Amino acid sequence: MTDLPTPLDPARAKQLSAEFGLKGDEYDRVLAILGRTPSLTELGIFSVMWSEHCSYKSSRFWLKQLPTKAPWVIHGPGENAGVIAIGDGLVAVFKMESHNHPSFIEPYQGAATGVGGILRDVFTMGARPIANLNALRFGSPDAPRMKRVIDGVVRGIGGYGNCVGVPTVGGEVNFHPRYNGNPLVNAMTVGIARADRIFLSAAAGVGNAVVYLGSKTGRDGIHGATMASTEFAADSEDKRPTVQVGDPFAEKLLIEACMELMATDAIVAIQDMGAAGLTSSSVEMAGKGGVGIELQMENVPQRETGMTAYEMMLSESQERMLMILKPGREAMAEAIFRKWELDFAVIGHLTDTGRIVIRHKGVVEANIELAPLESQAPLYERPWVPTPKLPVLTAPADPVGLKAALLQLVACPDLCSRRWIWDQYDSMVGGQTAKRPGAADAAVVRVEDHKRALAMTTDCTPRYCLADPEEGGKQAVAEAWRNITAVGGLPLAITDNMNFGNPEKPEIMGQFAGAVMGIGSACRALDFPVVSGNVSLYNETEGRGILPTPAIGGVGVLEDVAQAVGLALPANHDLVLIGATQGWLGQSLWLREVAGREEGAPPPVDLNAERRNGDFVRAQILSGAVAACHDCSDGGLLVAVAEMAMASGTGAVLDAAGDHAFWYGEDQARYVLAVPAAAPLLAAAAAAGIPATRIGHSGGGVLALPNGEAISILDLQAAHEATLPALMRDGA
């Protein structure tokens, strides 16, 4: 075959393949596919497309076991984002992705470009983004560099989201020493589109133009996907050149230009340039469409001089898209993008060869058959061992009493107020946010001019997942389902972000397998399918892995936004606990923060009870019987009541009998409801076979505990609000 690129020296090619992250047998497979030694550009293409970050070679086997279908699911995994029907011919489009490694190396840009990337995944589908959420895991605040990481990540998320004009409405934050060397930054975006205007990525039409859109290409982010597929070592600072640089103002222009072009009939297919940049977008578009693609690299808009084809193909410069246009639409599309002051360039065309051919200034730099690039990509069923089950913990004695424990818990890093964080985010831009951060268990955002609204949340309890990955996976899904239910929403689907350590270690692969099994069983039991997601592996530094963290992003619908309830406790209402309580202290925050222990089995998740209790609570909310609702999770029942009280400044008298295990146990499938009178709710619960108990009555400015102790709500609020500002006061 003629028209082949100049190969690398065989010894140099083998050396580079290892540096680029290819295993020896994987490189041998490259040689077999090509039938020759690769060029530098070809080796770069194989290395990024076969990286863990792009190919999911360690996780695909397990991910196929997740439930992905339901009558309301329009597009599940495989597209840029998941798509679900929400009524009136509208769809919600959403996904969550990680930017963990870049955010440790360069916190501000790593987090900012994580937000930019997930926004593009959503508006690429034709959806206008209406909300951002995140799930953040940091190490001990006093660990080296951690204040710098916390400060940079939060500013990066806020800076990008605020500038692009999409509200950041929800999320979660955990702290644990296991994240000291590898924080997690998971970003989620939700958008709205018309069901008949969804855009997909499969290229079609031999001869159709391949168009580059957006910002110019630079040298930032080269081999970012490969970097995200390896562990960190002591030299992580040296990897700063692999971190992309974001421009939210360019992203805003890109959104508006794409929305304008999407209102026409010009687009055949569209794909954002995310991980692996132009390589992944061109390979995936042509591969999905079963066509070939030929690119002329000198036509790629460049912001640096002397860039090679290898650099342009692997750059992960931000705010860029690749599009296939219908014949004759180029001038019209170019006029739109020029109006928005964005680059527009025809950089190639589709062919019938089934190959990707890269030319630069007349020289062939790569010529690869596309089908084996995907079909022969590595797929590993890695050895795994199940995580040993821990014994059920016998509740230890209470060393401090209910009041002292409550003050300690509401001030601890995992439960303290996140106001220092969310005040840096604009949660109200766009004017559609109905429940902002801190007001409810899930964020609630109106859908355009409709009464309808979306409820959305991110959830995971990593300490549960470490102790029992399968129960932890179940609990992450169940808590997302509960949080949506607690505002009155009907949970519809999830996106997941699977953050784990090195999958080549059987115990880590066992954590992943267990979490997937737990997520799958919970999704099936709750009719809550997985429609999109992301896997982030090799989250280890110098051999020390993170806590297994399968973050779940949930989306549900409210037919009438006026029916949504928050968690703020109103005065003169009865408090009713829905769900059974055994007093489960294993892996609880009370055990860790008050007793100084991290041990025992986590609370079991009864999925049938979750479904029954949640469906009952939602029906009560939608009937108008409930004034406030809050699910019981971290910290247990007393923390849930305290959070409701702090949200409104209204106290309560608690008169239910129970010891510290009753008040601080983290039993699942439970909600606290504030109702005008308990009797009707208790009668309805009894008729439905739902456990329900009146636990107190609201009013005043004091939380009166059943053991005779009392604490003012002002004191609780002061303790709750002080922690993060104090931790960050000395700067990063």
Side-chain angles (χ1 to χ4, degrees), residues 58 135 232 295 351 515 601:
S58 297
F232 276 146
L295 302 179
T351 70

Side-chain angles (χ1 to χ4, degrees), residues 417-437:
S417 170
R418 272 59 176 134
R419 188 178 307 278
W420 180 88
I421 294 174
W422 76 55
D423 276 354
Q424 298 184 55
Y425 304 155
D426 189 339
S427 62
M428 302 302 290
V429 63
Q432 299 298 306
T433 306
K435 297 292 183 187
R436 62 191 302 175

Side-chain angles (χ1 to χ4, degrees), residues 446-506:
R446 296 178 188 87
V447 176
E448 299 174 340
D449 298 326
H450 300 254
K451 291 196 303 180
R452 183 175 284 105
L454 294 181
M456 53 198 79
T457 184
T458 60
D459 293 287
C460 183
T461 310
R463 63 184 186 278
Y464 293 175
C465 298
L466 179 66
D468 188 329
E470 187 167 358
E471 281 310 301
K474 286 183 192 175
Q475 193 274 340
V477 174
E479 187 172 351
W481 195 85
R482 281 201 306 270
N483 281 334
I484 293 168
T485 293
V487 300
L490 176 65
L492 291 178
I494 70 166
T495 180
D496 59 37
N497 206 146
M498 308 291 284
N499 306 274
F500 290 80
N502 184 344
E504 297 169 49
K505 298 177 180 179

